[in-house]
Amino acid sequence: MKMLLFPATLLATLAATPFLMGAAPMLAAADQRRSDQMSALQARKTGAPSLREIESRVIPTMRGAQYLGSDYDSGSAIYTLKFLRDGTVIWVDVDGRNGQIVGRTGR
């Protein structure tokens, strides 16, 4: 009977390890991303431009820069597109409601 108890205890300990190591912040971040995605989907249903439409407008203006990806903040409805040019990171903020560039950092 002791042999069966050890694997079960080990399995329970291994299952709890991510939480013991601070997985809660990662789970909260995943929940926030899911919430942001749902907000973006709702905005699309009301006529806001899609991320692909925004990318098709912004990426061609960033000659010589490598496009790295985007992030969406549902609180402000801002997409942040990230680029790399000559070792410098450039962020381009775009209003997700109308597709207009509202800010830029870097050169």
Side-chain angles (χ1 to χ4, degrees), residues 72-86:
Y72 180 72
D73 178 12
S74 61
S76 62
I78 298 291
Y79 283 98
T80 300
L81 281 62
K82 185 176 179 181
F83 296 86
L84 181 65
R85 179 189 294 138
D86 299 327

Side-chain angles (χ1 to χ4, degrees), residues 2-101:
K2 288 182 183 180
M3 295 293 266
L4 294 176
L5 184 58
F6 176 74
T9 305
L10 178 61
L11 183 61
T13 302
L14 290 174
T17 299
F19 294 101
L20 298 174
M21 296 177 65
M26 290 187 297
L27 293 174
D31 286 342
Q32 182 61 47
R33 278 191 301 276
R34 196 170 10 266
S35 173
D36 287 347
Q37 290 171 347
M38 291 304 295
S39 295
L41 178 62
Q42 290 301 323
R44 279 288 295 133
K45 289 180 180 179
T46 62
S50 70
L51 173 60
R52 300 297 168 236
E53 291 169 330
I54 290 170
E55 288 172 337
S56 71
R57 286 187 230 158
V58 175
I59 292 173
T61 69
M62 299 297 295
R63 291 187 189 96
Q66 177 186 0
Y67 179 54
L68 301 176
S70 66
D71 191 27
Y72 180 72
D73 178 12
S74 61
S76 62
I78 298 291
Y79 283 98
T80 300
L81 281 62
K82 185 176 179 181
F83 296 86
L84 181 65
R85 179 189 294 138
D86 299 327
T88 300
V89 177
I90 303 165
W91 288 273
V92 178
D93 294 331
V94 180
D95 188 323
R97 296 170 293 229
N98 58 26
Q100 297 299 310
I101 294 175

